[in-house]
Amino acid sequence: MSDVLTRSAARNIFYGGSLFFFILFAGLTAHTHWYMVTTSTDSEALTDSVKRGKHVWEENSCINCHSILGEGAYFAPELGNVWTRYGGRENAETARAGLKGWIRAQPLNVPGRRVMPKFDLDEEELDALIDFLQWTDSIDTQDWPPTPAG
Amino acid sequence: MKYETQRVAYPFFAVAMALFALQVVFGIMAATVYVMPEFLAEAMPFHIMRMSHTNLLVVWLLMGFMGCTYYLMPEEAEQEIHSPMIAYIQLAIFAVAGAGALLSYQLGIHEGREFLEQPLWSKILITISFLMFLYNTSMTLLKGRKTAINLVLMLGLWLAAVFWLFAFFNPSNLAVDKLYWWWVVHLWVEGVWELIMASLLAYLLIKMTGVDREVIEKWLYVIIGLALFSGLLGTGHHYYWIGAPGYWQPLSSIFSTLEVLPFFAMVMFAFFMFWKGRRNHPNKSAMLWTLGSATLAFFGAGVWGFMHTLSFINYYTHGTQVTAAHGHLAFFGAYVMMVLAVITYAMPQLRRAQPYNQVTNMWSFWLMTSAMCFMTFTLTFAGVVQTHLQRVMGMNYMEVQDQLQLFYFMRLGAGVVVAIAAVTFFISIFGPVKEQAPATAEA
């Protein structure tokens, strides 16, 4: 590429091309934002409790062991579809009770098993967290994950 | 060292290396938990170790980039650093922000998004420090000579600061949160950081091979063009399964496949310039790190990234140990090795010595590189087994993890070797100057 392409031509292609692709990317991001708010997530079901639940999720850094929609630490199970895994789509009450019981039972003290710490969550925080997980389960994720195992 | 203020880089490198050491320690602790689950379970739960490990990496790399910039800017701009005092102050602020965040994690104080766990005050201090850094280096650039290398480097750093601002934006809709979270995470490591890496690579090649600036700077623009043309739309390989529209699957399968190209161009570029170069530079170990960085970036970021970037493959591998394998080798090859290359190149000048302790330094190169490769292989095998058992067979997560124990043991072993290699590196860089350059070398 000795004479075909000069340094200033390469520079101009870089700046022009990058700007072009950035504008395209920003446009698609804006469309995706709109699609998420109107189509793939349930904006009406995004209640104060779900928002509070997301806050509980963040305050306790659940993502640094678990993953959610496949993103996180991969050290503990995927929770994006935990509501489905606990049968919440069939029987919401049982799933809610099951999840609460599981979180409260920690640490399990089973020798050789990874330890989930005890988190001091009150009833309201637990409900909010589970509302958040239930809401997350309803996101249209293009059929991911492939199996309920997450 | 032609300019007195290049010395500013020294404390940046020293602090960066101290944090690098801590990062490896937290990594080994977390790897230990994988094989001994009760290890420190009460005193320091896994999530604290993990956020410490990842945050330290990002913070020390940023400090390393700053040090590299302060080192090369005077030579490229032919101008002393605008204000060494500002440099020292912003280093102190950055160190306080980083160390403060690390300490607060141990007390359970943190925010909750992955990699962005720094408490708000720490994020603000980081922003202030980074803006001071940008002001200081941009003023130096404005007063001095503009080359492709210092322009691209500054562009990369400025854009990193711009995209960092998305760290302050946390929407309550999880899907939208993830959409913009990647504007920090992906647009940094698969976007603007590549500008920083490529310009550091170009700088080292100009200095050590003696090839014409005109040729090297043309390559530089081609490489960063490939990086952004592919990497911007390539962001969508993170949008497949988070509630985004289906068009990201074909679109970003194509563009993120093209993300291999800039890394392929970099490895070609590095070796081509190395063979073409007439100059027999005495700092052999810096050349080794430079070529090694280009090579491992190609494998770690390029090949290992491509391995699971196609949407119909990623559907099965997303969020398994395959991702962990790719993450480790990509960061190591592209960014860790590049900063270590600049440090290895710069330290003899900063200490006013001929290249020294080169054999020790090369030992650390081969130890660290092979250990990181081995770690990547073990995690890759773990990821493939996990993908099959969990994503194809539908086996329960915890049962699958039990099947991966052997790989986690080997990963811990690899981590210990990395620690030994890191200590070897510190000794070769900061230890007493023992060996002079080989007698055959010309200055």
Side-chain angles (χ1 to χ4, degrees), chain B residues 135-413:
Chain B
Y135 167 77
N136 203 12
T137 45
S138 301
M139 287 303 286
T140 313
L141 174 66
L142 284 175
K143 282 190 284 187
R145 178 177 69 146
K146 282 105 188 140
T147 67
I149 288 173
N150 59 19
L151 284 172
V152 169
L153 178 63
M154 289 313 298
L155 180 67
L157 292 163
W158 270 104
L159 289 174
V162 170
F163 291 123
W164 161 250
L165 297 179
F166 283 92
F168 293 93
F169 177 52
N170 184 5
S172 48
N173 182 319
L174 181 72
V176 178
D177 168 5
K178 285 174 178 289
L179 178 69
Y180 292 104
W181 180 79
W182 285 113
W183 275 59
V184 188
V185 178
H186 175 99
L187 291 185
W188 270 25
V189 300
E190 295 176 63
V192 297
W193 279 27
E194 285 182 44
L195 271 56
I196 299 169
M197 181 207 169
S199 57
L200 295 177
L201 176 65
Y203 169 76
L204 289 170
L205 289 173
I206 282 189
K207 292 291 167 181
M208 289 194 287
T209 66
V211 172
D212 249 15
R213 178 176 286 274
E214 179 79 18
V215 177
I216 287 193
E217 293 192 336
K218 185 160 60 181
W219 271 87
L220 175 59
Y221 279 121
V222 171
I223 287 167
I224 61 172
L226 289 171
L228 291 193
F229 299 173
S230 62
L232 285 167
L233 290 179
T235 313
H237 63 190
H238 305 291
Y239 293 166
Y240 297 157
W241 326 117
I242 63 165
Y247 58 69
W248 286 107
Q249 291 175 40
L251 183 70
S252 296
S253 289
I254 294 168
F255 276 91
S256 67
T257 297
L258 298 176
E259 281 186 45
V260 181
L261 288 180
F263 290 105
F264 184 66
M266 268 192 266
V267 74
M268 293 293 291
F269 170 52
F271 278 91
F272 188 47
M273 293 303 129
F274 176 64
W275 295 121
K276 194 176 151 92
R278 303 167 310 280
R279 193 183 295 171
N280 185 14
H281 197 273
N283 198 335
K284 306 275 185 251
S285 46
M287 197 70 228
L288 185 62
W289 281 105
T290 306
L291 295 175
S293 174
T295 309
L296 259 74
F298 169 64
F299 282 104
V303 177
W304 254 254
F306 171 66
M307 203 161 68
H308 59 141
T309 201
L310 296 171
S311 62
F312 46 89
I313 292 174
N314 191 263
Y315 182 67
Y316 294 99
T317 58
H318 178 54
T320 63
Q321 295 298 320
V322 172
T323 318
H326 161 61
H328 279 84
L329 198 63
F331 264 97
F332 178 69
Y335 302 120
V336 172
M337 292 182 84
M338 187 50 69
V339 172
L340 298 188
V342 176
I343 292 178
T344 301
Y345 172 77
M347 283 304 284
Q349 277 101 321
L350 290 173
R351 293 180 67 177
R352 301 191 190 288
Q354 286 296 307
Y356 56 91
N357 301 351
Q358 295 221 20
V359 176
T360 318
N361 188 307
M362 288 190 205
W363 266 102
S364 94
F365 171 90
W366 288 109
L367 275 175
M368 206 184 296
T369 303
S370 44
M372 285 306 299
C373 288
F374 188 75
M375 184 186 296
T376 304
F377 299 148
T378 61
L379 291 175
T380 307
F381 286 122
V384 172
V385 172
Q386 184 188 6
T387 299
H388 186 74
L389 293 180
Q390 187 182 323
R391 295 290 168 70
V392 180
M393 311 287 283
M395 202 179 188
N396 170 285
Y397 175 90
M398 293 304 279
E399 285 170 39
V400 174
Q401 290 298 311
D402 286 339
Q403 302 295 316
L404 307 178
Q405 277 303 308
L406 177 65
F407 301 114
Y408 292 140
F409 265 106
M410 294 194 287
R411 187 263 299 270
L412 175 60

Side-chain angles (χ1 to χ4, degrees), chain B residues 24-228:
Chain B
V24 175
V25 170
F26 278 104
I28 289 177
M29 284 163 63
T32 306
V33 177
Y34 269 88
V35 301
M36 291 167 49
E38 285 101 350
F39 178 69
L40 292 183
E42 303 247 325
M44 195 192 294
F46 179 85
H47 64 284
I48 302 294
M49 297 176 187
R50 206 262 183 176
M51 73 174 80
S52 305
H53 177 63
T54 54
N55 277 237
L56 278 163
L57 170 68
V58 177
V59 168
W60 87 252
L61 284 176
L62 287 172
M63 285 207 173
F65 290 158
M66 290 177 185
C68 296
T69 308
Y70 280 125
Y71 183 80
L72 73 78
M73 186 56 81
E75 280 182 16
E76 285 295 303
E78 298 179 337
Q79 186 74 227
E80 294 286 357
I81 292 292
H82 175 66
S83 162
M85 184 52 76
I86 291 180
Y88 293 127
I89 294 172
Q90 61 103 168
L91 170 65
I93 295 175
F94 208 88
V96 167
L102 184 66
L103 280 178
S104 69
Y105 296 165
Q106 316 312 318
L107 304 173
I109 302 165
H110 48 69
E111 291 193 2
R113 295 193 298 162
E114 199 184 3
F115 312 133
L116 304 179
E117 293 92 348
Q118 311 79 32
L120 184 63
W121 59 265
S122 173
K123 282 195 177 80
I124 293 171
L125 285 183
I126 287 171
T127 311
I128 293 170
S129 168
F130 209 80
L131 287 176
M132 288 169 71
F133 161 75
L134 288 173
Y135 167 77
N136 203 12
T137 45
S138 301
M139 287 303 286
T140 313
L141 174 66
L142 284 175
K143 282 190 284 187
R145 178 177 69 146
K146 282 105 188 140
T147 67
I149 288 173
N150 59 19
L151 284 172
V152 169
L153 178 63
M154 289 313 298
L155 180 67
L157 292 163
W158 270 104
L159 289 174
V162 170
F163 291 123
W164 161 250
L165 297 179
F166 283 92
F168 293 93
F169 177 52
N170 184 5
S172 48
N173 182 319
L174 181 72
V176 178
D177 168 5
K178 285 174 178 289
L179 178 69
Y180 292 104
W181 180 79
W182 285 113
W183 275 59
V184 188
V185 178
H186 175 99
L187 291 185
W188 270 25
V189 300
E190 295 176 63
V192 297
W193 279 27
E194 285 182 44
L195 271 56
I196 299 169
M197 181 207 169
S199 57
L200 295 177
L201 176 65
Y203 169 76
L204 289 170
L205 289 173
I206 282 189
K207 292 291 167 181
M208 289 194 287
T209 66
V211 172
D212 249 15
R213 178 176 286 274
E214 179 79 18
V215 177
I216 287 193
E217 293 192 336
K218 185 160 60 181
W219 271 87
L220 175 59
Y221 279 121
V222 171
I223 287 167
I224 61 172
L226 289 171
L228 291 193

Side-chain angles (χ1 to χ4, degrees), chain A residues 67-71 78 80 136 139 141 144, chain B residues 174 178 241-242 318:
Chain A
S67 58
I68 193 161
L69 305 187
E71 291 160 4
E78 162 70 25
T136 302
I139 298 175
T141 55
W144 192 90
Chain B
L174 181 72
K178 285 174 178 289
W241 326 117
I242 63 165
H318 178 54

